[in-house]
Each structure stands twice: as structure tokens, then as C-alpha cells.
Amino acid sequence: MLALTGFSKWLAATSLSHTIQTVTWIIPTLQTIHILCVAIVFSSAVLVDLRIFRVFERDEPLREVTRRFLPPIWPVLLILLVTGSLLIIGEPRRSLVNTTFYLKMALLLVAILLTATLQRMVLTSPGVFEDRSRQMAGRALATVSILVWCGILFAGRWIAYTQAG
Amino acid sequence: MSYIQNLIAFFEDSSIADSIRENDTLFPTIESIHVVAICLVVGSILVLDLRLVGFASMNRPVGRLTRAILPVTWGAFAIAASSGFLLFISNATKYLANGYFDAKIILICTAGVNMIVFHAISAKDLPQWEKQKSPPLRARIAGALSILLWIAVVACGRWIGFTMQEL
């Protein structure tokens, strides 16, 4: 924790951090881009999960729905990485010495693994989750996916309320 | 005008509004639900907008995609609006005095008008073009306008947080 505090102090003293801190429109703009990208990633994942539950685009094979919605997640995650990193550089203490931030990152790791697994399974073996025996497995996966993504969004909002004074 | 002021005062002075103001975890919790719902509203409507513009889901007929996506969008919108209402009444007077809040409400209404105009007028001959990869110009304009309006709604939402006076 002490090392992180020291690193945060060093980061906050860099000229890039200084610019982000002092130009007032930069942080809200970065946060707006960040949330819009979260909206894209979250909705894409949830729509595929809803398709697994057969409540969205039932007339379209799961494979086609997955092909439309899951691959675009990855480039958008890159934008999230960039905007998220810039937000950390601007206010290092807000996240780097904040447990909620690490919870968000841990959940994100789980979400990435889940989504990548789902995408690979559905695209390489079409019809997976369609037969009755695998249906439950698919629904369990979809439920966990929705919960984990919601957890990421909740944690993201709570970072603002749990930062060290 | 005084009727509206009375109504706002009634909500702002209610015990629910008081709990949201005073409780340390209630406001952030409702705010988190609001963020999840808004993300689903914006993300799901973007699916339809990108189809109208001719960028994505091009193999899906517009009518079918609309019927699949709008229940998700409206369900999420109901949650976003009710959670937003709860956040609003916790400090109604201060929110109303905030230009970004007012702009956000006007932008949401404009997005609604854009949708009504599209469904009532521009999409009357939908069956004739709904399978085209690139829909007619009026549909592409409605899609592009919707994308811009929702980006502005999210931006205003974020700016409210930076311009509200200390509570």
C-alpha cells in the first residue's frame, strides 16, 4: 500500500497528470467517452446473454447473434483501457489506493474470460447450448455474465464514493 | 407555475427524498442502478441506430431488429427514468437550477420526438426498404441524429456531477 501511495504521488506530479488536473473539461470528457464505451460493451454482452435465454432475437441462430455482438467488444475495451488509464493518471489516488478499483479490475478480468470463452465456444461449435442438456450450462454462463458486468458498473460508480480523503 | 413548484416541493420534502439525501449508501446505490440502466438504453438504441445508418446488423430486416431491441430499450428506460426521478427529488431545486440537468431532460425529449417522427412518418413505407443494407436518407438521418442526441445526454449527465453545488 505504501508503494502504491508513493507511485500515486509520483504519477500525480507528472506533467501529463498536471494537464489532466488543471484543464477542467478533460476529466468529464474522458469520463463521457469511458461511459459510452461501457454502454457498448455492456449492452453487447447482455444482448448475447439474453439470446441465450431466448428472449432476444430468437429467430436468429445464437452463432449469428454472437458474431454480430461479441467481436466488437474487444476494440472498444482498448478505448476503455486508454480513457481509464488517462483518468488514473489524472487522479491516481482516486483509484490506485482504493479497494473498489481493484474489485472492478478483478471483476473485469472474470468478465473478459467469460466473454472470450463464450465467443470461442459458440463460434467454433455452432449449436452449443441449443440442445437440452447444454441449455442449463448456457443459462448459468449467461446469468454469471450479466451479474459480473453489472458488478463492474456498480464498482465503477462506487470508486467515486470510496476514495481516500 | 406555482402548482409545479408545489409539486416539486412536495416530492423534495417527502420522506423518500429525505432518506436518499441523508443515507450514505442509498444515493450511490440508486445512481449505480441508473448508470446500468442508461448504459443498456444507450447501447441497445445504438444497435438500431447503427442499422439505420447502414453500419451494422445489415442482414437483419429493420422491422425485426426493432421488435427485438425495443422491449430491451424500453425496459431499461423505465428503470433509468424511475431511478433518475429518485435522484432528482433528493435535491430537485438544485438539479433544476443546473443547466446541464435541464439540457439533459430536453435532449431526452428531443430523442423521443425523433423516434416518434421516425416511426410515424419516415418508417411508414418500412416494408419496402427494411431489407436494404443502406436505408433511405431520412432513416439514416434519424439514426445519426439519435446517436448524437444520446451521446449528448450521457455527456450532460456526466457534467451534472461536476457542476452541482456542494450538497
Side-chain angles (χ1 to χ4, degrees), chain B residues 36-106:
Chain B
V36 170
I38 282 207
C39 280
L40 203 51
V41 169
V42 174
S44 63
I45 208 117
L46 187 65
V47 174
L48 199 55
D49 294 338
L50 289 177
R51 173 64 183 92
L52 288 177
V53 173
F55 275 7
S57 301
M58 265 107 85
N59 294 322
R60 296 286 288 161
V62 176
R64 273 195 190 183
L65 187 63
T66 306
R67 279 190 297 278
I69 211 91
L70 282 190
V72 179
T73 312
W74 279 117
F77 186 81
I79 299 171
S82 26
S83 55
F85 178 74
L86 289 174
L87 297 173
F88 166 70
I89 62 168
S90 76
N91 258 297
T93 313
K94 277 183 183 163
Y95 278 113
L96 284 174
N98 184 297
Y100 292 102
F101 176 83
D102 301 334
K104 184 179 174 182
I105 300 300
I106 293 167

Side-chain angles (χ1 to χ4, degrees), chain A residues 70-109:
Chain A
L70 290 194
I73 283 182
W74 310 111
V76 181
L77 271 179
L78 268 180
I79 305 176
L80 282 166
L81 181 72
V82 173
T83 51
S85 303
L86 288 170
L87 286 167
I88 292 172
I89 293 168
E91 296 175 289
R93 277 175 56 81
R94 178 183 158 109
S95 35
L96 293 183
V97 285
N98 187 335
T99 323
T100 315
F101 169 74
Y102 294 99
L103 175 68
K104 181 182 174 184
M105 291 303 107
L107 287 169
L108 177 63
L109 213 61

Side-chain angles (χ1 to χ4, degrees), chain B residues 8-165:
Chain B
I8 287 166
F10 167 76
F11 283 118
E12 199 168 7
D13 297 336
S14 68
S15 59
I16 304 172
D18 197 53
S19 322
I20 300 168
R21 262 193 308 271
E22 300 305 327
N23 188 307
D24 280 346
T25 56
L26 211 46
F27 190 92
T29 304
I30 299 171
E31 209 184 8
S32 301
I33 295 168
H34 191 64
V35 170
V36 170
I38 282 207
C39 280
L40 203 51
V41 169
V42 174
S44 63
I45 208 117
L46 187 65
V47 174
L48 199 55
D49 294 338
L50 289 177
R51 173 64 183 92
L52 288 177
V53 173
F55 275 7
S57 301
M58 265 107 85
N59 294 322
R60 296 286 288 161
V62 176
R64 273 195 190 183
L65 187 63
T66 306
R67 279 190 297 278
I69 211 91
L70 282 190
V72 179
T73 312
W74 279 117
F77 186 81
I79 299 171
S82 26
S83 55
F85 178 74
L86 289 174
L87 297 173
F88 166 70
I89 62 168
S90 76
N91 258 297
T93 313
K94 277 183 183 163
Y95 278 113
L96 284 174
N98 184 297
Y100 292 102
F101 176 83
D102 301 334
K104 184 179 174 182
I105 300 300
I106 293 167
L107 285 164
I108 293 171
C109 293
T110 314
V113 171
N114 177 50
M115 196 174 90
I116 291 167
V117 168
F118 173 71
H119 284 292
I121 303 166
S122 317
K124 265 196 163 161
D125 56 347
L126 183 76
Q128 283 157 42
W129 55 263
E130 69 160 350
K131 286 184 178 160
Q132 287 173 22
K133 289 200 187 301
S134 179
L137 184 63
R138 59 187 188 282
R140 279 182 280 150
I141 289 174
L145 203 58
S146 172
I147 295 174
L148 293 175
L149 284 167
W150 284 108
I151 290 175
V153 168
V154 172
C156 282
R158 204 67 292 270
W159 249 273
I160 293 170
F162 286 88
T163 50
M164 280 287 277
Q165 301 140 334

Side-chain angles (χ1 to χ4, degrees), chain A:
Chain A
M1 211 58 175
L2 211 63
L4 282 170
T5 311
F7 178 67
S8 299
K9 269 193 187 137
W10 172 81
L11 206 55
T14 59
S15 65
L16 178 58
S17 178
H18 188 72
T19 307
I20 299 172
Q21 286 165 45
T22 47
V23 183
T24 47
W25 56 265
I26 293 183
I27 287 177
T29 304
L30 286 172
Q31 289 188 352
T32 302
I33 299 169
H34 199 73
I35 294 188
L36 286 166
C37 290
V38 169
I40 293 172
V41 170
F42 177 71
S43 300
S44 304
V46 168
L47 288 174
V48 171
D49 294 333
L50 291 178
R51 173 59 186 82
I52 292 175
F53 275 104
R54 305 183 66 82
V55 291
F56 173 70
E57 292 197 324
R58 233 186 311 191
D59 56 332
E60 183 91 327
L62 174 61
R63 186 184 190 175
E64 291 311 309
V65 179
T66 303
R67 208 202 301 274
R68 271 160 60 213
F69 289 104
L70 290 194
I73 283 182
W74 310 111
V76 181
L77 271 179
L78 268 180
I79 305 176
L80 282 166
L81 181 72
V82 173
T83 51
S85 303
L86 288 170
L87 286 167
I88 292 172
I89 293 168
E91 296 175 289
R93 277 175 56 81
R94 178 183 158 109
S95 35
L96 293 183
V97 285
N98 187 335
T99 323
T100 315
F101 169 74
Y102 294 99
L103 175 68
K104 181 182 174 184
M105 291 303 107
L107 287 169
L108 177 63
L109 213 61
V110 177
I112 287 174
L113 285 172
L114 265 175
T115 310
T117 308
L118 196 68
Q119 181 178 329
R120 205 169 38 96
M121 277 174 87
V122 174
L123 294 187
T124 53
S125 50
V128 70
F129 304 142
E130 299 285 353
D131 65 288
R132 275 188 197 287
S133 56
R134 306 287 295 275
Q135 221 174 43
M136 282 313 288
R139 289 181 179 194
L141 209 61
T143 308
V144 176
S145 163
I146 291 174
L147 290 175
V148 171
W149 282 112
C150 283
I152 292 169
L153 270 67
F154 264 71
R157 192 72 288 260
W158 277 86
I159 288 174
Y161 294 93
T162 49
Q163 55 185 320

